[in-house]
Amino acid sequence: MTDSSIINKAEAWLNSNIDEKSKQEIKDLLNAPDNTDLIDSFYKDLEFGTGGLRGLMGVGSNRINVYTIGMATQGLANYLKASFPGEEISLAITHDSRINNTLFAETTANVLTANGIKVKYFREMRPTPMLSYAIRYYGCQSGVMVTASHNPKEYNGYKVYWDDGGQVVSPHDKNIILEVLKIKSIDDVNWNKNDALKEYIEEDFDLFYLNEVKKLSMSPLTNLAEKDMSIVFSPIHGASGKMVPAALKVFGFENIHVVKEQIEPDGNFPTVKYPNPEEPEALDLSIKLAKEINAELVLACDPDGDRYAAVVKNEKSEYELLNGNQTGALIIYYLLSMYQEQGRLTGNQFTVSTIVTTGLLGEISKGFNVPYYDVLTGFKNIAAVILANEGKKEFIAGGEESYGFLVGDFVRDKDGVSACAIVAEIMAYYKQKNMNIIDVLAEIYMEYGFYKESLISITKKGKDGAEQIQELMKGFRTNRPKSINGIAISKIVDVQESKVYDMTDGTESVLDLEKSNVIQFYLEDGSKISARPSGTEPKIKYYISVNEKLPNREAYRATEASLEAKINALKKFFE
């Protein structure tokens, strides 16, 4: 039997000022013999997670539609007016290629202008990093990127940014949620748009962004020498199809081949199961083209262009997909090496990563005597560190294991566009030294340790799934394990409780990190497992990291296999 509060909520929507199509969909849900969809659509309101507002598209309070977008935007508008009293407020908006993205972006713009807020609206879809840069370039107080990033085609949503160009962090994220919660019905939204307050960002803005990207190059002469290096790129039907080739060209690369089956923006993502460059299947067409033309590098971005992936030729001339930790290590190592070579390391630089990203980034930074910050998951936390150090220290680079990276600070979110250009430069630089990328990784691992990571992502859908995930996390806290796969746990870090438990002597200490629903298990052999419910998807994720010494280049594959076996054994504990 359906909870009466859910039926009441559905009927309140039915009796509000919504369109007839949505009313019919609600009637169908109310009359359906199976109430699962009705419950999932109305049992709660959509919440802001680490990536903002995100969910399945459809009718209802727990779905993405013009009404939930409008209600969230009204809350955002109210918060902006309270935060900048008496000021002229402006906000930048763009979107990627997802289904309904133009509709949702226009809805966002309409509600904002109805509330007297100026909107700088990209005339054409553009990647997330360009939205972040536009906020800073035009001096906006906020920004909205309409996207569901790499989620399946059924999802949509938007990410909210603040005046620094980074995604909203505390207290703004929590305060926006409070304002959204005050919007009790669709009729509380001001829908009376004012087109006079809407100004378009035209194509010439691309050049402003690309000029900043070009400055990131550490070795332009190398790129010139390798300008004919063959590169395949795929935007996977997303918003980066124009900008990544342009970024590669301003870096000096000319031999670029875009995957024709995936170049057109299409929210149905017809050639892939998931539009996520982390998924090898999403790169099948790219690798097929690479084999046909004997390309040296394959690059791809997710639909909103903030994540990237790289496929390189290994020592057997086979195409090998690098994971986000590997490309992150390559970027950090290359940049710090070049900074050192050019005499630019002054002790005033820093790098940043997250607590579920490989510890190798911190080890490399330490090796160059560069301060390194470890922050909570979510790129907004990296942006917060950049903001806190603005004008004091120079941010070199930072990123996450989930294929998100940022070089330089003119953007304040993941930037797959500039990351692709940097990876191409790294490839060219080491090619000039007769080294392939696996050789470079081996060089890094011999010096700092061979780190290997893996992720288990378990989906639990709907209301029941959300409760199961909470029960799992509760179990880890109330019945802390002593070992995993026979390996003793030396330390447990509970980020939610701000506690560090030393399992060897039973002592506790305080963790100086913002609270988040994460538990980390540190094992005696140096392995680390982090358990974390996703903030944007109905998933619980387990991040596994193992490491050991790499004695020489010849031992690379044997050591890799040993680490893989260790990961597989640890996985069995959680699957």
Side-chain angles (χ1 to χ4, degrees), residues 349-368:
Q349 289 80 24
F350 68 97
T351 61
V352 194
S353 187
T354 69
I355 60 175
V356 298
T357 303
T358 179
L360 181 57
L361 302 189
E363 292 301 312
I364 295 170
S365 300
K366 192 190 305 178
F368 285 89

Side-chain angles (χ1 to χ4, degrees), residues 91-102:
L91 182 146
I93 299 176
T94 192
H95 61 86
D96 64 15
S97 61
R98 283 186 176 269
I99 296 167
N100 292 322
N101 266 21
T102 303

Side-chain angles (χ1 to χ4, degrees), residues 411-425:
V411 166
R412 298 297 171 88
D413 201 355
K414 301 183 287 285
D415 188 348
V417 179
S418 61
C420 282
I422 287 289
V423 169
E425 176 168 297

